[in-house]
Amino acid sequence: MYSWSSVSKIFEIYKLMKNLLIILLLSLVQISSSGCSAKQIKKKNTIKTNTLNSEKIETKNVIRNFNERRLLLITNSASRGVINAKHVSDIRNDIYGNRAIANLLIDRFEKQANERIKRTAEWFEFPHPKGRKLQGECDFAAVKLTRAYYLFNGTKKLEPETLKAIKNFFLDYDYESCFPSENHFFLFRSSRYLMAQAFPDKIFKAYGKKGKVLLEEDGKWLENFIKFRARRGWGEFDSSCYLLPDWECLVNLYDFSKDKKIKKLAGMMLDLLLADMVVDSLNGMYCGAHGRIYQNQALDHKTESTFPLQYLYFDNVNPKLLKNRDTSTELLTSTYRPSEIIIDIALNRKNNYENRERKHLHNTEDPMPEKPLPGSICKYTYWTPEYVMGCVQKQDPYPENCVGKWYANHEQHQWDLTVGTSTTSRIFTHHPGKKGPEHGYWTGDIDCGCGSFFQNKNTLLALYKIPTNQPYQLIHAYVPKHSFEEIIETNGFIFIRENNTYIALKLLRGYEWTTNGDWKDKEIISKGGHNGAICEVGSRSDFGSFDNFCKEISGNKIEFDKNKMILTYYSNRQGKLCIDTLGLRELNDKKINLDYPTYHSPYLNSKWDSGIIEITKGKKNLLLNFN
């Protein structure tokens, strides 16, 4: 037998040999990359997303376990990391009452939950808890109070004083938001419609009409509103933030409307919105370009309001990423369930594909719209099992005489590349601004609109012609070093590897990393008002080694005329791509057809303005006819 001293010596020798082996392996890695490496950064630990594309997922199992996921999200929403009565009744932590409703669902802190919901119903009697405009968010309170009323009326969950306060909110006050955006109009109309259904013979004082009159008016409005968006897309398109309030409106209509036509339209639109999201999503992350998101959603997918939604319906999100997360109780208490074909699409795609979509121009002065504007937004996404990249391929200008033209590029996220391994493994370029979130540091381009984009599959070109009156005469890229396994800088390119995905990013006017402050090791700045970027993505299966990828991309020819603002890139794999700021998009000297349908991909198809949507997966088919 060995003595303890001999075992100890053997262990020390083992540790020494292990360390020498690690040093040798690191040396070999550096040598193998030396032909291409200027700088190399290794990744820190991040929580992985669920990677679901390696084998077929049984949709029946996802459907069967729905209530387990639902209960987890309800419990998270009820506590959000803190479980005591004081926090449940604190309006600063639960402005609209979602947490209070979640606690009522699990029979906990019922007295405090009633206090919290009653205080939301007294919305107009107190200042906003965070100092914002009362008339701005009153419709967010309305949709939550509508759900609470229909969910708990006739039970003992809501105390008489709480029910009375809810009734007074709807009958005594004007809860139409002062903000003229798509989701606000929908929140107001859907909530008033359902409460008019509840009180048909009562006068709604702010509008001077009985409930039954408003029920008919709002019913017609809602029918036309939903049908139009089935034909021409949503104005706040593919928003990983504002899809949630739209979803809340739709599930309220689906669950509580007594009109079978409204209920059916709401159910079909829920299927359509879900399918529209799924074809651009990877492992629960809503990828590509978006209309109206904020900085948090631009930088980290786990902050998207659609993230827990995808977990609930598809079980394709790591639940560790949802810890202490608040989820809409409209979503968690609805009787809506997605069609099985949509679940199958979400979980079982293996082949790369292109997705083309077209959206109407949202006019804040005519939200229905009664008179649709000419022009549209064309969006392109390239999906693979390992990464997704997408952009606004073309955006028509608003008519000069349109009062609502100020909305163009409002909080818009113009292009994005997401790798499927973590919620922060993503890259995009942007022109920063100082006009709040409408044109903020990382999102939006309102009152500027300086970006032009062209993508063909795995290759994207971006041009920025920044007006001289803009405070920032530069562009920047979001490249969080900690979210990638390897970064190499050479020949003016930034080469990035994450798992089996290879990325090449070129900023046309040179670059420098931000070395201090909030964006240290996350931001790359490129100075110059006439600027641009190139991003080409590859994989181990295409290129073999990362070193091969670096060498090949470095040899691709680039022509950039910063005066004429024309960029031509000769990709060895994708051919010759050319873009300017006046609408030119050419592939191998041929103009690209940008007359997109409403939807076109292997899974979702609809002719522009038809209102007939076909969802397909293998031999399965679902037809949504909104006419």
Side-chain angles (χ1 to χ4, degrees):
M1 292 182 63
Y2 290 110
S3 66
W4 280 113
S5 60
S6 63
V7 170
S8 177
K9 288 178 182 178
I10 291 169
F11 185 65
E12 288 298 322
I13 293 169
Y14 164 75
K15 285 201 300 182
L16 178 61
M17 293 184 70
K18 180 182 175 184
N19 290 336
L20 287 171
L21 181 61
I22 290 171
I23 292 168
L24 177 62
L25 287 172
L26 287 174
S27 300
L28 288 172
V29 168
Q30 289 177 346
I31 291 167
S32 67
S33 301
S34 62
C36 163
S37 175
K39 297 180 183 177
Q40 188 165 307
I41 298 100
K42 291 295 180 180
K43 174 183 173 184
K44 299 176 184 175
N45 290 329
T46 56
I47 297 177
K48 295 285 187 180
T49 57
N50 278 4
T51 303
L52 299 173
N53 300 292
S54 57
E55 57 186 37
K56 183 175 174 59
I57 307 297
E58 291 296 331
T59 58
K60 291 180 181 178
N61 293 338
V62 173
I63 294 169
R64 184 172 58 247
N65 298 328
F66 176 87
N67 280 327
E68 293 178 16
R69 300 191 299 278
R70 175 179 169 272
L71 182 59
L72 172 65
L73 293 176
I74 289 173
T75 305
N76 283 353
S77 298
S79 61
R80 285 160 60 186
V82 181
I83 306 175
N84 62 57
K86 181 180 178 181
H87 278 80
V88 173
S89 60
D90 187 354
I91 188 170
R92 293 169 300 177
N93 293 317
D94 187 24
I95 295 176
Y96 313 118
N98 191 70
R99 188 185 200 181
I101 294 172
N103 274 280
L104 289 179
L105 290 171
I106 59 175
D107 302 318
R108 191 175 70 185
F109 301 129
E110 292 186 1
K111 179 178 182 297
Q112 291 79 12
N114 268 270
E115 290 174 2
R116 178 72 289 288
I117 294 169
K118 180 173 177 288
R119 173 62 179 81
T120 295
E122 296 167 345
W123 183 266
F124 295 102
E125 299 175 31
F126 300 94
H128 191 288
K130 295 193 175 181
R132 300 193 288 264
K133 292 181 180 179
L134 285 176
Q135 208 63 40
E137 300 172 16
C138 50
D139 49 0
F140 283 107
V143 74
K144 203 64 64 178
L145 293 171
T146 299
R147 173 62 56 164
Y149 179 84
Y150 274 95
L151 206 57
F152 300 124
N153 186 34
T155 72
K156 295 182 180 180
K157 294 281 188 180
L158 291 183
E159 297 170 357
E161 287 300 309
T162 307
L163 282 169
K164 181 181 177 182
I166 293 174
K167 183 177 178 181
N168 290 343
F169 174 91
F170 287 103
L171 296 181
D172 293 348
Y173 296 100
D174 176 13
Y175 38 90
E176 182 174 9
S177 175
C178 60
F179 298 132
S181 64
E182 186 175 54
N183 75 90
H184 281 294
F185 283 107
F186 198 20
L187 287 163
F188 165 63
R189 290 280 191 161
S190 62
S191 298
R192 190 173 70 170
Y193 167 84
L194 289 170
M195 297 313 291
Q197 177 181 269
F199 303 111
D201 296 318
K202 296 292 184 181
I203 295 287
F204 285 65
K205 295 176 183 178
Y207 316 110
K209 297 177 182 179
K210 283 190 174 183
K212 56 188 174 184
V213 176
L214 293 173
L215 182 66
E216 184 177 354
E217 289 180 4
D218 289 340
K220 290 178 181 177
W221 191 94
L222 289 164
E223 182 181 342
N224 291 330
F225 181 87
I226 293 171
K227 284 182 174 180
F228 181 85
R229 278 144 187 82
R231 299 199 320 267
R232 298 194 183 190
W234 289 72
E236 296 171 332
F237 64 90
D238 298 347
S239 172
S240 59
C241 173
Y242 283 104
L243 184 142
L244 182 63
D246 295 331
W247 197 267
E248 291 173 338
C249 297
L250 288 164
V251 291
N252 276 358
L253 293 171
Y254 180 83
D255 290 333
F256 307 130
S257 175
K258 295 177 182 178
D259 187 317
K260 291 181 180 179
K261 182 186 288 187
I262 294 291
K263 179 182 176 70
K264 183 179 179 181
L265 284 171
M268 288 195 299
M269 181 53 77
L270 286 166
D271 271 352
L272 176 55
L273 278 176
L274 210 53
D276 184 14
M277 176 178 66
V278 161
V279 295
D280 284 343
S281 293
L282 181 61
N283 301 333
M285 300 179 288
Y286 205 165
C287 305
H290 302 282
R292 291 208 70 188
I293 64 170
Y294 295 99
Q295 181 170 293
N296 286 344
Q297 290 92 45
L299 305 184
D300 190 342
H301 284 290
K302 75 171 181 286
T303 66
E304 296 169 342
S305 62
T306 52
F307 202 55
L309 183 150
Q310 297 214 41
Y311 170 72
L312 178 69
Y313 291 132
F314 308 131
D315 195 16
N316 59 350
V317 168
N318 186 337
K320 291 180 181 179
L321 294 166
L322 298 169
K323 188 178 180 181
N324 304 330
R325 177 70 184 267
D326 190 28
T327 304
S328 166
T329 48
E330 284 86 352
L331 169 68
L332 298 175
T333 57
S334 177
T335 59
Y336 166 78
R337 298 294 182 270
S339 298
E340 189 170 332
I341 187 174
I342 300 173
I343 301 174
D344 194 19
I345 294 169
L347 300 180
N348 294 304
R349 291 164 291 165
K350 291 185 178 180
N351 298 323
N352 302 356
Y353 63 85
E354 298 170 90
N355 178 40
R356 295 174 175 86
E357 302 176 16
R358 188 171 169 188
K359 316 293 183 181
H360 79 279
L361 294 179
H362 177 49
N363 183 3
T364 55
E365 302 303 308
D366 183 15
M368 170 63 70
E370 301 290 345
K371 297 179 180 180
L373 296 173
S376 58
I377 295 173
C378 292
K379 181 187 150 179
Y380 177 94
T381 307
Y382 185 60
W383 190 95
T384 81
E386 296 179 339
Y387 67 87
V388 177
M389 185 161 69
C391 74
V392 172
Q393 195 86 299
K394 182 192 76 166
Q395 181 160 347
D396 290 322
Y398 281 69
E400 278 301 316
N401 61 351
C402 176
V403 179
K405 67 181 180 180
W406 65 271
Y407 183 84
N409 300 290
H410 181 269
E411 295 168 355
Q412 209 159 286
H413 192 60
Q414 308 283 30
W415 82 271
D416 188 280
L417 166 65
T418 294
V419 184
T421 52
S422 81
T423 60
T424 56
S425 297
R426 61 192 306 185
I427 288 168
F428 60 90
T429 59
H430 175 248
H431 167 237
K434 293 184 177 181
K435 296 202 73 168
E438 293 81 12
H439 185 183
Y441 199 68
W442 287 111
T443 57
D445 201 20
I446 201 169
D447 282 347
C448 182
C450 65
S452 300
F453 309 91
F454 174 35
Q455 181 183 343
N456 184 63
K457 295 186 178 179
N458 64 329
T459 304
L460 178 140
L461 311 185
L463 283 178
Y464 296 89
K465 189 177 181 180
I466 304 169
T468 55
N469 63 353
Q470 285 292 312
Y472 290 109
Q473 293 296 306
L474 57 88
I475 63 172
H476 60 168
Y478 183 68
V479 184
K481 288 182 179 179
H482 69 280
S483 296
F484 299 101
E485 291 179 334
E486 192 172 359
I487 296 178
I488 293 171
E489 300 172 55
T490 187
N491 299 324
F493 278 92
I494 302 153
F495 292 103
I496 301 146
R497 183 182 65 80
E498 171 62 8
N499 200 17
N500 294 321
T501 300
Y502 307 151
I503 305 160
L505 180 65
K506 173 84 170 182
L507 299 174
L508 300 179
R509 302 285 299 274
Y511 69 90
E512 57 187 37
W513 285 90
T514 297
T515 56
N516 52 57
D518 293 341
W519 310 119
K520 180 178 183 281
D521 293 337
K522 297 177 183 177
E523 177 186 43
I524 302 171
I525 289 175
S526 180
K527 296 177 181 178
H530 285 200
N531 216 325
I534 298 167
C535 184
E536 184 165 356
V537 192
S539 63
R540 185 183 298 275
S541 60
D542 293 329
F543 289 87
S545 71
F546 186 39
D547 189 52
N548 288 343
F549 175 77
C550 296
K551 289 176 181 177
E552 180 175 313
I553 300 299
S554 293
N556 288 344
K557 184 180 176 183
I558 299 170
E559 296 173 348
F560 174 48
D561 188 326
K562 65 184 175 66
N563 295 317
K564 294 181 180 179
M565 288 302 287
I566 300 175
L567 171 61
T568 304
Y569 176 61
Y570 297 81
S571 168
N572 193 46
R573 306 286 174 125
Q574 291 303 321
K576 179 184 176 184
L577 289 83
C578 187
I579 181 177
D580 70 8
T581 56
L582 301 175
L584 176 69
R585 307 286 188 280
E586 286 186 350
L587 178 63
N588 295 322
D589 298 318
K590 293 181 180 180
K591 289 184 178 180
I592 293 295
N593 180 12
L594 294 175
D595 187 18
Y596 286 2
T598 306
Y599 299 104
H600 180 61
S601 76
Y603 305 104
L604 186 61
N605 288 280
S606 178
K607 294 180 180 179
W608 177 247
D609 205 27
S610 72
I612 299 173
I613 294 93
E614 187 175 15
I615 302 173
T616 308
K617 177 69 165 64
K619 296 180 180 179
K620 298 176 186 177
N621 183 277
L622 175 63
L623 191 70
L624 303 176
N625 189 343
F626 286 83
N627 297 318

